[in-house]
C-alpha cells in the first residue's frame, strides 16, 4: 500500500524561494536582452556589471518587500501587528537595504572580475546570461534572508550594509583626501559620493528603529520569564529608537543643508548613545551573559580613542569618528546577540520543563490501566 506524503512547511517555503529565484532570473533575462547591445566589458559605464547591479537592485528590493509582507508576517505575527504606517516604513526601509546592498556587492564583484580578466568583453547573449544569473541569485538569497529575519541577522545585515555603503561613498569621493578633515565630508555636496553616504546613513537609521522593535520583542520574552517589569522594555526600545532617528537625521540634515544643525544632531547622537551605554546595563543587570563586561570594554575603548584624539593628538578627526562608530556598532551588535540568546534560552528552558512535566502528569492517568487485573483477594477458588 502506497502512503501519501505531504511536503513539510519548510519544503514549501524553500520551493517558494526557488520559484522567486527563477522569476528573478527571468527578469534578468529580459533586462539583459533589452539593455545590452553588442560586445561590452564586465565593469564600467554601460557594462554588463552595471546592468546586472541595477537589475539586482530592483529584484532584491521587490523580493524583500514581497517576502516581508507575506512570509515574515506569518512567521513573525507581532511584526505585522503594529500600525500600518510603521509597518510600511519598516518594509520600505529594509527592502531598500537589501536592494542597495545587492547593488553595491554586484558592482564590486563585476569590478573584481574585470580586474582578474583584463580586457575581456562579452557579447549580448553571454552578457545576458550573467545578468540573469545575478538577478536570480539575488532574488533567491533575499527571499531566504528576509523570510528568516531575526534581530541578530538584521543587525549583521546592517553592519555589512553600513560598511559597504561608506566604502562605496569613499571610493567615489571627488576629493581622494577627504579623510584628512572629517568623516561627514563624504556627505557634503551633491555628487554620487554624498548621495551614497547620506542614503546609507538614512536607511541605517530607519532600520535601527526596526532593530529596536525586534530587540523589544526578544526582551519581552526574557522579561516575562525573569519577572522583570514591562517599563524596562519600553525604556530600552525608546533609547535605541532615538539612536536610529538621530542617525537618520544626520543624513537628512547634512553639512550641505546646515552646518550648525548637523553638528547639533551629531552631538545629540553622541549624548543619547552615551546615555544608552550607561543606562542599559543597569536596567538589564539580570540579563545573562557578559553584557556588563562588554559594555565596560566598549566604554574603555571610547575613552581611549578620545584621549588619542584630544589628549595626545595621535588620531585625526576622521580616525576618531570611524573608531567611535566601530565601537558603538560593535557594542550594539553584541548587545542584540546577548538579548536574542537570552530569549532563546528562555524558550529552551520552558520547553524542557514542559517535557519533564508531561510524563509526571501522564503517570496518574496510566495507573488504573496497570492495576486493571483482579486482585488476589478477589479471585475465587
Amino acid at each position: 500500500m502506497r502512503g501519501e506524503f505531504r511536503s513539510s512547511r519548510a519544503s514549501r517555503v524553500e520551493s517558494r524561494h526557488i520559484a522567486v529565484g527563477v522569476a528573478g532570473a527571468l527578469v534578468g533575462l529580459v533586462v539583459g536582452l533589452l539593455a545590452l547591445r553588442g560586445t561590452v566589458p564586465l565593469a564600467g559605464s554601460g557594462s554588463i556589471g552595471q546592468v546586472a547591479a541595477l537589475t539586482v537592485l530592483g529584484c532584491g528590493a521587490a523580493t524583500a518587500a514581497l517576502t516581508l509582507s507575506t512570509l515574515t508576517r506569518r512567521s513573525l505575527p507581532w511584526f505585522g501587528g503594529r500600525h500600518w504606517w510603521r509597518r510600511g516604513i519598516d518594509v520600505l526601509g529594509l527592502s531598500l537595504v537589501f536592494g542597495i546592498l545587492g547593488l553595491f556587492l554586484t558592482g564590486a564583484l563585476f569590478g573584481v572580475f574585470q580586474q582578474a580578466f583584463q580586457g575581456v568583453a562579452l557579447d549580448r547573449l553571454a552578457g545576458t546570461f550573467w545578468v540573469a544569473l545575478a538577478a536570480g541569485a539575488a532574488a533567491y538569497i533575499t527571499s531566504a534572508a528576509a523570510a528568516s529575519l531575526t534581530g541578530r541577522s538584521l543587525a549583521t545585515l546592517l553592519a555589512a550594509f553600513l560598511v559597504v555603503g561608506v566604502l562605496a561613498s569613499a571610493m567615489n569621493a571627488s576629493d581622494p583626501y577627504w579623510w584628512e578633515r572629517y568623516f561627514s565630508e563624504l556627505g557634503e555636496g551633491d555628487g554620487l559620493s554624498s548621495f551614497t553616504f547620506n542614503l546609507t546613513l538614512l536607511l541605517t537609521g530607519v532600520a535601527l528603529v526596526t532593530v529596536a522593535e525586534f530587540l523589544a520583542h526578544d526582551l519581552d520574552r526574557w522579561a516575562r520569564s525573569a519577572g522583570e517589569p514591562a517599563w524596562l522594555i519600553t525604556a530600552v526600545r525608546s533609547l535605541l529608537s532615538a539612536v536610529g532617528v538621530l542617525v537618520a537625521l544626520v543624513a537628512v540634515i547634512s553639512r550641505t543643508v546646515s552646518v550648525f544643525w548637523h553638528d547639533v544632531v551629531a552631538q545629540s547622537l553622541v549624548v543619547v548613545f552615551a546615555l544608552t551605554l550607561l543606562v542599559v546595563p543597569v536596567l538589564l543587570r539580570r540579563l545573562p551573559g557578559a553584557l556588563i563586561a562588554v559594555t565596560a570594554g566598549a566604554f574603555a575603548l571610547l575613552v581611549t580613542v578620545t584621549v588619542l584624539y584630544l589628549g595626545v593628538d595621535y588620531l585625526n578627526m576622521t580616525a576618531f569618528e570611524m573608531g567611535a562608530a566601530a565601537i558603538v556598532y560593535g557594542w550594539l551588535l553584541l548587545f542584540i546577540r546577548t538579548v536574542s540568546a537570552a530569549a532563546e534560552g528562555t524558550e529552551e528552558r520552558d520547553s524542557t520543563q514542559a517535557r519533564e512535566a508531561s510524563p509526571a502528569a501522564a503517570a496518574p492517568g496510566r495507573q488504573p490501566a496497570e492495576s486493571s487485573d483482579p486482585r488476589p483477594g478477589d479471585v475465587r477458588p
Side-chain angles (χ1 to χ4, degrees):
M1 181 177 180
R2 181 180 298 178
E4 296 182 358
F5 296 93
R6 293 184 178 180
S7 60
S8 64
R9 181 180 180 277
S11 298
R12 293 193 300 271
V13 171
E14 182 62 24
S15 298
R16 172 168 177 165
H17 298 329
I18 295 175
V20 171
V22 172
L26 292 177
V27 171
L29 182 67
V30 173
V31 172
L33 291 174
L34 293 177
L36 296 177
R37 291 288 184 271
T39 301
V40 292
L42 294 177
S45 179
S47 64
I48 298 170
Q50 187 179 60
V51 174
L54 293 174
T55 307
V56 165
L57 168 62
C59 288
T63 299
L66 176 64
T67 305
L68 291 171
S69 301
T70 54
L71 282 181
T72 307
R73 286 192 64 182
R74 289 197 292 269
S75 61
L76 303 173
W78 57 269
F79 180 77
R82 295 174 295 161
H83 298 293
W84 65 269
W85 59 270
R86 293 192 63 178
R87 185 168 63 248
I89 292 176
D90 288 343
V91 171
L92 177 61
L94 293 181
S95 299
L96 289 176
V97 167
F98 276 107
I100 295 175
L101 181 60
L103 169 75
F104 291 153
L105 293 179
T106 303
L109 186 61
F110 274 91
V112 170
F113 283 160
Q114 185 69 76
Q115 292 294 322
F117 301 94
Q118 291 285 343
V120 71
L122 302 179
D123 60 19
R124 185 183 185 188
L125 291 180
T128 299
F129 167 78
W130 287 108
V131 173
L133 181 63
Y140 173 79
I141 294 173
T142 301
S143 179
S148 57
L149 201 63
T150 62
R152 284 187 285 184
S153 65
L154 180 55
T156 304
L157 173 70
L158 281 185
F161 175 73
L162 185 60
V163 171
V164 172
V166 170
L167 288 178
S169 174
M171 293 176 64
N172 290 292
S174 56
D175 182 8
Y177 300 102
W178 61 269
W179 53 270
E180 293 182 348
R181 287 175 291 278
Y182 40 81
F183 196 57
S184 296
E185 173 82 9
L186 289 174
E188 294 185 5
D190 53 0
L192 178 62
S193 174
S194 61
F195 176 77
T196 302
F197 180 79
N198 291 326
L199 182 62
T200 298
L201 287 185
L202 175 62
L203 293 179
T204 299
V206 172
L208 278 175
V209 177
T210 307
V211 169
E213 296 298 326
F214 276 83
L215 188 67
H217 176 71
D218 290 339
L219 272 177
D220 181 64
R221 289 187 295 168
W222 169 76
R224 282 183 295 177
S225 176
E228 295 286 348
W231 66 266
L232 292 180
I233 304 170
T234 303
V236 173
R237 177 173 53 190
S238 300
L239 286 171
L240 291 180
S241 297
V243 170
V245 170
L246 289 172
V247 170
L249 286 177
V250 168
V252 173
I253 310 175
S254 65
R255 292 180 64 90
T256 303
V257 176
S258 173
V259 175
F260 173 77
W261 288 111
H262 175 85
D263 292 343
V264 168
V265 173
Q267 292 167 6
S268 300
L269 175 60
V270 173
V271 172
V272 171
F273 183 79
L275 182 63
T276 304
L277 203 62
L278 294 174
V279 169
V280 167
V282 176
L283 295 179
L284 305 178
R285 58 186 178 277
R286 294 180 58 190
L287 193 68
L291 177 62
I292 296 179
V294 169
T295 303
F299 188 79
L301 287 174
L302 281 175
V303 172
T304 301
V305 296
T306 303
V307 171
L308 291 176
Y309 169 59
L310 296 176
V312 300
D313 200 23
Y314 178 78
L315 300 176
N316 66 357
M317 184 65 174
T318 302
F320 167 72
E321 290 178 327
M322 294 184 68
I327 294 168
V328 165
Y329 205 90
W331 176 86
L332 182 61
L333 181 60
L334 292 175
F335 173 56
I336 292 170
R337 294 183 66 86
T338 300
V339 172
S340 297
E344 292 175 2
T346 298
E347 291 183 349
E348 292 176 0
R349 185 170 59 253
D350 292 343
S351 61
T352 300
Q353 292 175 353
R355 285 195 304 268
E356 292 176 352
S358 58
R366 291 196 304 266
Q367 194 66 27
E370 294 176 357
S371 60
S372 59
D373 293 336
R375 289 175 294 177
D378 294 337
V379 179
R380 296 180 181 180

